[in-house]
Amino acid sequence: MRIGIDARELCGRATGAGRYLGGLLSAWASDEQARRHSFVLYTPESLTIRLDARRFPTRLVPRAPGVWWEQVRLPRVAATDHLDLFFAPAYTAPLALRVPTVVAIHDVSFVAHPEWFTTREGIRRRWLTRRAAQKARAVLTISNFSRDELIARLGVPAARIHVVPPGISARSASVSTPDEPRVLFVGSIFNRRHVPDLIRAFAAVARAHPRAWLDIVGDNRSHPRQDLRRTIEAEQIADRVRCRWFVPDADLQSLYARARAFVFLSEYEGLGLTPLEALAAGAPPVLLDTPVAHESCGDAAVYVPMNDIPAAARALERALFDEPTRARVLAAAPQVLAKYDWPRLARETMAVLESAAR
C-alpha cells in the first residue's frame, strides 16, 4: 500500500500534532507491519526531524502551509503519485483527493468553546474539520473523552472512530528527585490552560518559600490575549519566573529533570501530553479536576477545582513538599505511563489505515 501523509506539522518547531506525527513515523521506521507499505510525505519546506529518506521520501509542495496549500496545491501533486490512502494527522484533510482518507482529530475545542478562537479561525476549523470527518473512512483520536466529543459535537458515527493513545517521549535521561523547589509548565498558552491562575497560585507558594522558581515554556496563543508579564509583575515575582516561548529538546529535557512539580490547569484537552512527560521524569503533576485529566493520569496526579487559586496553591505545596503525596503520585506512575507507548500507537494506527484502504 502507498500511503500519502500531510507532514507540514514537522516543519519548523514541531509541537502538538507535529510531535504526534514525528513519534509515529519514528516508530513505523522499525515496525515490521509498516515495512510492507511505502510512504510519501508532503511538505511545504524541508523537515526539521531526521527520517530515513528511503523509507519516508518527501515531496516538496512549495507555498505557505495554509488552507490553499492543503486543499488545492497538495491534492494536485498527490493525484500523480498513485496513492492508495491518505493520512492527515492534524484535524483536517484535502477534501478533493480521490483516495480513501484517515484523519486524526485530537480534540474539538473550537466547537466546544468557540470563544477561545478568533471568528475567522473558528469558522475555518469547524467547517474543515467537520467536512474532513464526514469524508474520512476512519477517524483517529487520542482519548475516550475526545471520542465522545466527536460523536456529540461533530456527529461522527462511533463505528468510524478509533481511540489510539499516543506515546510519551522520554524528556529526561533519568528520573530524579530534585531538591530545589522548581515548578514547570510546558505547552502552548491557550485561555483554557489558565496560566495566569498558575502564576497567582505559584506566587502564594513563592512568598512562603524563597527558593521556589517557575519556568513557563510555550507560545502565547491566547484569545483574548492574556498578558502574562503584567500578571507576573502584579504578583511581584518577576525575579522568580522565567517565560520562554520555545526551547530546544535538550533544554526541555533539563527542565523536566530539574522540576520538582508540574502544573497544567487546563479545563479542556484531547489528552494532555506534557503532564505525562513530566510524570515520566519524576515530577508530580497538578491538574484541574476534569474527566480527561482523570482518564489520562488516573491516580498519578494532584487534582484541584477550577477557578480556585488558593486550592491550586495548596496542591502545589503538596506536590513540592509533602513526601507522602509525592510518593503516592509517583507510585501510580508506572501503571499510568504503560498506556502511552509509541510502538503500540504505530501498530494500532497502521491497522486502522490498512482497514480503511480495504
Side-chain angles (χ1 to χ4, degrees):
M1 180 169 66
R2 188 168 172 83
I3 303 170
I5 300 176
D6 179 347
R8 61 186 150 154
E9 294 290 338
L10 297 177
C11 299
R13 291 166 169 169
T15 60
R19 287 164 55 194
Y20 166 85
L21 178 58
L24 185 56
L25 293 176
S26 296
W28 275 341
S30 57
D31 181 72
E32 289 301 321
Q33 182 183 5
R35 288 181 182 275
R36 300 199 298 262
H37 308 294
S38 63
F39 301 87
V40 182
L41 307 187
Y42 297 92
T43 172
E45 58 189 68
S46 299
L47 301 183
T48 55
I49 69 168
R50 288 187 175 183
L51 293 171
D52 184 342
R54 293 170 298 179
R55 292 281 293 121
F56 302 106
T58 299
R59 286 291 303 271
L60 194 63
V61 185
R63 199 180 176 94
V67 175
W68 182 266
W69 183 89
E70 176 191 62
Q71 299 299 328
V72 179
R73 297 278 294 174
L74 191 158
R76 287 175 180 171
V77 175
T80 67
D81 285 336
H82 308 291
L83 301 177
D84 299 296
L85 180 88
F86 191 85
F87 175 49
Y91 299 89
T92 62
L95 302 176
L97 280 177
R98 297 182 179 275
V99 297
T101 63
V102 173
V103 61
I105 302 175
H106 309 286
D107 68 79
V108 291
S109 56
F110 41 88
V111 180
H113 291 278
E115 69 275 13
W116 292 338
F117 300 84
T118 65
T119 300
R120 182 174 181 178
E121 182 185 14
I123 291 172
R124 174 184 63 81
R125 284 176 175 264
R126 288 188 290 274
W127 189 85
L128 278 175
T129 304
R130 194 181 302 274
R131 289 294 306 276
Q134 291 170 347
K135 182 179 184 294
R137 289 271 182 92
V139 176
L140 286 160
T141 196
I142 55 179
S143 66
N144 291 320
F145 171 80
S146 283
R147 177 199 60 196
D148 294 343
E149 288 284 271
L150 285 165
I151 294 169
R153 298 187 185 276
L154 290 187
V156 182
R160 284 202 283 122
I161 303 173
H162 303 264
V163 178
V164 185
I168 298 301
S169 301
R171 293 287 171 180
S172 176
S174 61
V175 175
S176 60
T177 306
D179 294 327
E180 197 174 21
R182 298 184 73 97
V183 179
L184 179 63
F185 168 92
V186 178
S188 296
I189 296 168
F190 298 118
N191 301 68
R192 67 177 184 260
R193 291 175 176 169
H194 298 278
V195 178
D197 287 354
L198 157 60
I199 293 168
R200 296 183 182 104
F202 171 77
V205 174
R207 282 188 278 272
H209 300 277
R211 295 173 60 227
W213 181 270
L214 172 62
D215 285 294
I216 298 173
V217 179
D219 187 16
N220 191 341
R221 298 166 61 186
S222 56
H223 175 79
R225 182 83 172 181
Q226 295 175 331
D227 190 339
L228 302 188
R229 180 54 56 187
R230 177 178 295 180
T231 304
I232 292 167
E233 291 173 353
E235 296 293 333
Q236 300 181 340
I237 53 171
D239 59 337
R240 312 281 286 279
V241 182
R242 186 176 184 183
C243 296
R244 283 163 285 184
W245 75 274
F246 183 86
V247 298
D249 271 357
D251 293 344
L252 188 57
Q253 289 175 8
S254 176
L255 288 172
Y256 274 117
R258 296 169 65 191
R260 191 168 170 85
F262 187 91
V263 183
F264 198 73
L265 303 179
S266 179
E267 65 178 280
Y268 190 99
E269 294 292 323
L271 182 68
L273 290 178
T274 55
L276 293 163
E277 291 180 348
L279 189 60
V286 176
L287 309 176
L288 280 191
D289 193 347
T290 66
V292 73
H294 281 278
E295 180 184 346
S296 62
C297 286
D299 293 331
V302 180
Y303 295 99
V304 298
M306 189 166 67
N307 299 325
D308 192 336
I309 294 173
R314 291 192 297 270
L316 184 51
E317 283 264 3
R318 291 167 57 202
L320 285 169
F321 304 112
D322 185 69
E323 292 303 328
T325 295
R326 291 177 55 81
R328 173 185 62 78
V329 170
L330 296 178
Q335 184 176 357
V336 167
L337 294 172
K339 298 186 294 183
Y340 304 101
D341 178 69
W342 286 118
R344 184 173 72 175
L345 171 72
R347 292 192 303 271
E348 294 185 7
T349 300
M350 183 53 65
V352 172
L353 299 185
E354 290 174 343
S355 177
R358 290 194 295 269

